Amino acid sequence: MSPATDFSDRQYPDTIVLFDVDGTLTPARAFVSDEMKKTLANLRKKTAIGFVGGSDISKQYEQLGETILEDFDFCFAENGLTAYRLGQKLASQSFIQWIGEEEYTKLVNFILRYIADMDIPRKRGTFVEFRNGMINVSPIGRNCTREERNEFEKYDLAHGHRQRFVEALQKEFSHLALTFSIGGQISFDIFPTGWDKTYCLRHIKQDGFKTIHFFGDKTFKGGNDYEIYTHPEVIGHSVKTPEDTIRILNELFP
């Protein structure tokens, strides 16, 4: 299949625009707005587009809608470890195969003991979520309500619980080539070094894009957008809200 044929109908066929999901295309864990959907549909007439989420694909369906495989040229869940190009699934990777059962069990045991000893206002459920290419760790638990999620985010910003948790894990598992990446409001991801959001770039190499834009909100060092935001082949745009994303897109591609 010729890359030129795939995107030659776009105004800028050698340009792709990639987006983080939470805080960039949608409010955290909320549904995409009609305005954003319209903005992306218009952008897709000009460039190729794709999303790069840290969560598994089911959460992206929840936030971006049931037609994501038709609405985006590239769909990258779990940083691209689960990937789709023009609706077709690409090869995937497995965290459990990489780390092995013995080390994985040690890692999860350490995490659960650490959370048990954490002094935070609320704990709910699903503290460790196993995904294909990573694990997601949440001190409060992913079963918390929207209000509890917002409350924990403010509490964590003031007290740095996630950052200290990551530092403890880095010390305990320094013998493994793991990356710990704080993202979203309530959690952080653990994955093999190199399996951050830059992993998705290998899936677009064959298409020969000359310009790659990326929009994300966690672009600070330690945030889960940092590596791709600072990648030398990527033009990074740091946003705080989906409204920022729309504004910058309108400026770049009027």
Side-chain angles (χ1 to χ4, degrees), residues 60-77:
Q60 276 120 35
Y61 275 114
E62 290 173 9
Q63 291 178 255
L64 298 174
E66 292 299 315
T67 58
I68 52 174
L69 297 186
E70 292 81 45
D71 296 340
F72 291 85
D73 300 299
F74 294 88
C75 301
F76 298 127

Side-chain angles (χ1 to χ4, degrees), residues 47 69 75 79 113 116-117 146 180 212 217 219 227 237:
T47 74
L69 297 186
C75 301
N79 297 346
R113 282 194 296 266
D117 293 334
R146 177 70 54 76
F180 303 85
I212 304 170
D217 67 322
T219 56
E227 288 83 4
H237 306 275

Side-chain angles (χ1 to χ4, degrees), residues 6 9 11 15 50 52 63 69 73 75 77 109 113 120 128 133 158 163 208 223 236 239 247-249 252:
D6 291 338
D9 61 329
Q11 184 177 349
T15 297
V52 193
Q63 291 178 255
L69 297 186
D73 300 299
C75 301
N109 287 346
R113 282 194 296 266
I120 57 177
V128 178
Q163 184 60 44
V239 300
R247 175 181 55 79
I248 296 171
L249 285 174
L252 287 173

Side-chain angles (χ1 to χ4, degrees), residues 31-252:
F31 195 70
V32 65
S33 69
D34 288 340
E35 183 183 10
M36 179 62 77
K37 290 173 77 171
K38 182 180 178 182
T39 299
L40 293 175
N42 288 334
L43 177 64
R44 200 178 182 198
K45 297 174 184 175
K46 301 173 182 178
T47 74
I49 67 171
F51 66 77
V52 193
S55 298
D56 57 64
I57 195 76
S58 66
K59 293 184 176 63
Q60 276 120 35
Y61 275 114
E62 290 173 9
Q63 291 178 255
L64 298 174
E66 292 299 315
T67 58
I68 52 174
L69 297 186
E70 292 81 45
D71 296 340
F72 291 85
D73 300 299
F74 294 88
C75 301
F76 298 127
E78 300 182 57
N79 297 346
L81 295 163
T82 298
Y84 293 83
R85 178 186 183 276
L86 297 175
Q88 300 299 309
K89 196 169 191 294
L90 304 177
S92 62
Q93 292 279 3
S94 167
F95 178 65
I96 198 74
Q97 289 177 2
W98 179 88
I99 195 172
E101 290 289 355
E102 183 178 354
E103 289 290 356
Y104 177 74
T105 300
K106 290 178 183 176
L107 178 63
V108 172
N109 287 346
F110 182 91
I111 289 166
L112 294 176
R113 282 194 296 266
Y114 191 99
I115 290 175
D117 293 334
M118 286 184 80
D119 184 16
I120 57 177
R122 303 179 199 277
K123 294 179 186 176
R124 292 299 182 250
T126 311
F127 302 106
V128 178
E129 183 177 81
F130 177 75
R131 300 173 181 171
N132 184 52
M134 65 181 74
I135 59 173
N136 178 265
V137 179
S138 175
I140 186 175
R142 298 194 65 86
N143 291 353
C144 61
T145 66
R146 177 70 54 76
E147 291 74 22
E148 290 165 346
R149 174 184 287 267
N150 294 337
E151 178 187 75
F152 177 82
E153 181 182 32
K154 292 177 183 176
Y155 186 82
D156 185 56
L157 284 170
H159 296 88
H161 282 289
R162 283 187 291 176
Q163 184 60 44
R164 285 198 300 277
F165 199 165
V166 163
E167 290 167 1
L169 284 161
Q170 287 172 327
K171 182 178 179 181
E172 184 70 18
F173 295 94
S174 59
H175 59 291
L176 298 176
L178 290 171
T179 292
F180 303 85
S181 184
I182 296 171
Q185 295 177 288
I186 62 169
S187 64
F188 59 89
D189 297 325
I190 304 175
F191 47 84
T193 298
W195 289 17
D196 52 59
K197 286 189 178 178
T198 61
Y199 189 93
C200 77
L201 298 177
R202 67 187 66 190
H203 292 305
I204 64 174
K205 274 190 181 300
Q206 67 173 17
D207 291 291
F209 294 111
K210 294 178 181 176
T211 304
I212 304 170
H213 292 271
F214 173 77
F215 286 71
D217 67 322
K218 297 291 189 296
T219 56
F220 53 86
K221 191 168 185 178
N224 66 352
D225 296 323
Y226 176 78
E227 288 83 4
I228 190 169
Y229 173 74
T230 58
H231 192 280
E233 297 175 11
V234 173
I235 301 170
H237 306 275
S238 186
V239 300
K240 290 185 173 19
T241 65
E243 289 73 25
D244 282 349
T245 301
I246 292 172
R247 175 181 55 79
I248 296 171
L249 285 174
N250 288 334
E251 292 170 359
L252 287 173

